[in-house]
Amino acid sequence: MPAHATPPGHLLQLLPEAVVQTDALWEITYLNPAWARLTGHAVAAALGQSLLDFVHADDVGTLRAGMPVFRLRFADADYRWVRLQLHPETDAAGRVISRQGVLIEVTEVTEQILVEVRQRFLRLLETIDGVVWEAEHGIGNTFLSPQVERLFGYSVEEWRADPGFWRAHVHPDDLPEALAIDDAAYNATHSYAYEMSYRLIAKSGKVVWVRDLCRAVVEPGRPNRMIGLMIDVTRQKQTELELLRSDDRYALATRGSNDGIWDWDLRTDVLHVSERFHAILGLEEAPHVHDGGWRFLQQRIDPDDRARVQAAYRRHLAAETPNFSVDFRAFHGSGRLVWVNWRGVAQFEGGAAVRMAGSLSDLAERGSSYDTLTDLPGRPLFRERLAHAIAACRHKAAAEDGAPAPGGAQTFAVLLLDLNRFKAVNDTLGHHAGDQLLQQVARRLETCVRTGDLVARMSGDEFNVLLEAIEPAEALQRAREIAAVLGVPYDIGGHSVTSGASIGLVTSVPGLATVDDYLRAADAAMYEAKSRASGVCVFPAGGSGGTRPG
């Protein structure tokens, strides 16, 4: 007989049990006469309807999941327990095209079948890591699974013997809210699902955090009852509380440091930033989650600094440095450029970086890193940038087996400037005039360098300039231009002041290895420049011996 065919009527007419056939979507396609005798529903009226329309709403899900015992609506509007084991038939592709089975009222089946269903149910309960329960108002628990003894230490008998047992053992701090939810379920006018979270006092006195997944069952003619599953979530709750405490401590610490915090998932490129992070960049209204992490950061970094910033964190991702810290100019929401420090550390899994986190600092607010008088970076920032240039030079040289980089791509230059006659300005016009001179010198220096170069005030009347990716000849020409610009008289408080500067120049050479090596070389050249008419002196290419005039 084909799978979709209706069973031969003359063979099924004599069966005392109701035979039911549906299609794949539960529409009834065949019923024998026993259906009408058992349920009271006419066969003709039922054909074409969904079998699920006759099933109690609370049992539809379990029937669809394969549970053969459920409540069926009879013609007198009562629901009665029946058993219908439906056997699916499939086509060549394995798709269900029909279901067939025999419908039997549970009250007429043998005790053996009832025991079988009960045993299957109890075996299922044993696999659940939680307490399955049922309760009725005024009666207490009508059902309680044996796991209650393992999770809470109480026997099923002592729990069920007292209708108020559960209420008596909920933690006092959680009881008012739990009772309000409990009473609402007992007095509900319709069935609904809900969830509770509370602490329960175990028999040992231990406090157990419970997540209770519940359902209020409302049926006509009987008191409301509730069913649920209690799960021990103590470990998860303790972890959540510890994380919350850690977050609070971390938030307090970061507020104290006044830094912005960021967390970057490198697998998804999702960047989370703190409110302070956005405040530093003048982006108070921006969302705190950015789906494209590098795209967001790249838009904030001055184009002339992007390659240097990217190189810093890529060296860290390649495990060449234990962490990274880089200073750069960032676009503020107001349109101006601000100096910031971006630092962090990566988390590795299987040798690959999967996450990075760290902080963002406003260097203008760091007195030790930023000079408030001239609005220039200070000594720490200059040393960090110079260290980066030295490392980049060494890294490229190593990659090329020590061969010189074509076009001077890996070379840089350091200038140390000392103002001439600065003490005389202070002595004759006062310190206020000296401060104005320093400020005007700073502005002139900024006009003499490229966008990617760095001008810094080291101390007193000394300034440093870092020229990156520049050939020695071009660096010398730039130093001469700076000397000429600084030699033009200054207008300070109506007085014409001539100062000028002595400039020491050193370019990147193999003989110098550290930041201090370069600063000492530039300092030696600067003192030699004081006796030169040009005011510029270059440290020799070999890195040893005397200086030569520019």
Side-chain angles (χ1 to χ4, degrees):
M1 181 179 66
H4 63 277
T6 301
H10 66 279
L11 296 177
L12 301 176
Q13 298 289 326
L14 302 177
L15 284 180
E17 297 86 9
V19 176
V20 179
Q21 178 177 279
T22 74
D23 63 10
L25 299 178
W26 298 96
E27 181 179 319
I28 299 174
T29 57
Y30 176 82
L31 296 169
N32 71 344
W35 162 268
R37 293 194 297 269
L38 176 63
T39 67
H41 296 295
V43 171
L47 287 173
Q49 293 192 51
S50 172
L51 176 63
L52 301 181
D53 291 341
F54 294 89
V55 178
H56 193 286
D58 290 346
D59 299 338
V60 168
T62 56
L63 172 62
R64 296 176 65 187
M67 176 63 75
V69 179
F70 57 94
R71 286 162 291 182
L72 187 78
R73 177 171 51 83
F74 280 52
D76 58 7
D78 283 344
Y79 283 93
R80 301 180 192 174
W81 285 97
V82 298
R83 186 177 191 274
L84 176 61
Q85 184 71 59
L86 288 170
H87 301 279
E89 295 200 15
T90 60
D91 60 12
R95 294 171 297 204
V96 174
I97 57 176
S98 68
R99 299 180 179 88
Q100 299 175 7
V102 176
L103 181 71
I104 305 172
E105 189 173 355
V106 168
T107 53
E108 298 178 4
V109 302
T110 63
E111 183 68 22
Q112 180 181 355
I113 296 178
L114 289 175
V115 170
E116 177 186 334
V117 173
R118 176 177 172 81
Q119 288 176 337
R120 186 180 304 169
F121 174 69
L122 292 176
R123 285 197 298 270
L124 175 63
L125 288 184
E126 291 174 358
T127 66
I128 298 175
D129 190 20
V131 178
V132 178
W133 57 269
E134 181 182 58
E136 287 192 13
H137 193 272
I139 299 176
N141 286 98
T142 56
F143 177 82
L144 203 64
S145 65
Q147 284 90 332
V148 70
E149 299 182 9
R150 177 175 59 84
L151 293 181
F152 306 120
Y154 304 106
S155 68
V156 172
E157 289 75 18
E158 63 183 315
W159 188 301
R160 292 187 59 194
D162 180 4
F165 190 91
W166 175 80
R167 297 186 178 209
H169 290 81
V170 173
H171 193 284
D173 292 343
D174 301 333
L175 186 59
E177 182 179 356
L179 289 181
I181 298 174
D182 195 48
D183 290 338
Y186 277 130
N187 294 285
T189 57
H190 62 280
S191 299
Y192 66 94
Y194 61 98
E195 183 177 328
M196 302 171 67
S197 181
Y198 54 87
R199 287 163 291 182
L200 196 73
I201 309 300
K203 192 169 187 175
S204 64
K206 175 185 175 182
V207 175
V208 180
W209 274 100
V210 174
R211 184 185 180 201
D212 213 342
L213 307 176
C214 317
R215 182 173 182 81
V217 181
V218 179
E219 296 177 321
R222 64 174 296 177
N224 287 3
R225 59 193 175 94
M226 293 185 295
I227 56 176
L229 172 65
M230 290 190 288
I231 305 171
D232 180 357
V233 292
T234 304
R235 181 175 298 179
Q236 297 94 309
K237 201 69 177 181
Q238 290 173 342
T239 301
E240 291 174 7
L241 292 174
E242 182 56 35
L243 285 174
L244 181 61
R245 286 192 289 267
S246 297
D247 288 346
D248 288 343
R249 289 194 296 267
Y250 190 53
L252 181 61
T254 56
R255 284 198 300 272
S257 68
N258 208 28
D259 288 345
I261 304 303
W262 56 272
D263 188 332
W264 191 0
D265 189 329
L266 299 178
R267 293 166 295 193
T268 61
D269 198 25
V270 174
L271 175 70
H272 294 256
V273 302
S274 68
E275 183 177 348
R276 176 58 183 157
F277 186 103
H278 277 155
I280 291 173
L281 297 177
L283 304 173
E284 285 83 353
E285 302 301 322
H288 290 249
V289 179
H290 302 276
D291 290 333
W294 173 244
R295 184 173 64 251
F296 164 75
L297 292 170
Q298 190 176 41
Q299 292 171 349
R300 309 318 308 172
I301 303 171
D302 186 285
D304 292 295
D305 291 344
R306 286 175 190 167
R308 180 170 52 81
V309 172
Q310 195 168 22
Y313 81 77
R314 281 184 172 173
R315 283 200 300 273
H316 175 54
L317 295 184
E320 296 178 17
T321 58
N323 49 45
F324 73 92
S325 176
V326 59
D327 298 316
F328 62 89
R329 286 157 296 189
F331 289 106
H332 191 270
S334 63
R336 61 188 175 89
L337 286 172
V338 294
W339 276 97
V340 297
N341 172 262
W342 185 46
R343 58 189 178 276
V345 65
Q347 174 184 340
F348 294 84
E349 291 182 6
V354 297
R355 178 184 177 189
M356 295 172 70
S359 62
L360 183 79
S361 304
D362 183 351
L363 292 181
E365 297 180 357
R366 287 187 178 184
S368 60
S369 297
Y370 218 86
D371 179 49
T372 56
L373 175 64
T374 61
D375 201 28
L376 290 177
R379 182 184 297 272
L381 195 154
F382 185 85
R383 291 179 65 89
E384 188 276 331
R385 278 286 300 273
L386 178 54
H388 175 274
I390 295 171
C393 178
R394 186 183 302 119
H395 178 75
K396 187 162 186 176
E400 298 176 357
D401 296 325
Q410 73 178 34
T411 61
F412 60 89
V414 177
L415 281 67
L416 177 60
L417 299 82
D418 183 72
L419 297 185
N420 301 329
R421 301 186 64 252
F422 179 71
K423 184 176 184 301
V425 173
N426 273 338
D427 292 344
T428 58
L429 300 179
H431 289 285
H432 181 66
D435 289 346
Q436 291 185 52
L437 175 60
L438 292 173
Q439 291 170 339
Q440 292 190 34
V441 168
R443 302 292 79 78
R444 291 190 186 187
L445 285 173
E446 289 177 328
T447 65
C448 294
V449 298
R450 301 163 300 178
T451 305
D453 297 330
L454 178 66
V455 178
R457 183 190 177 197
M458 301 302 281
S459 63
D461 60 336
E462 286 189 355
F463 294 83
N464 268 124
V465 177
L466 176 63
L467 306 173
E468 295 195 71
I470 192 168
E471 294 183 358
E474 184 183 353
L476 176 57
Q477 180 60 33
R478 186 61 52 87
R480 289 169 175 168
E481 293 173 0
I482 291 174
V485 170
L486 297 185
V488 176
Y490 300 84
D491 182 5
I492 299 178
H495 299 277
S496 178
V497 175
T498 302
S499 177
S502 300
I503 303 175
L505 168 66
V506 57
T507 57
S508 49
V509 291
L512 304 178
T514 68
V515 170
D516 289 330
D517 287 344
Y518 278 94
L519 293 179
R520 280 194 293 267
D523 186 66
M526 183 269 293
Y527 276 102
E528 181 69 21
K530 289 182 178 295
S531 61
R532 307 291 181 180
S534 65
V536 178
C537 193
V538 182
F539 193 79
S544 60
T547 55
R548 59 183 175 85

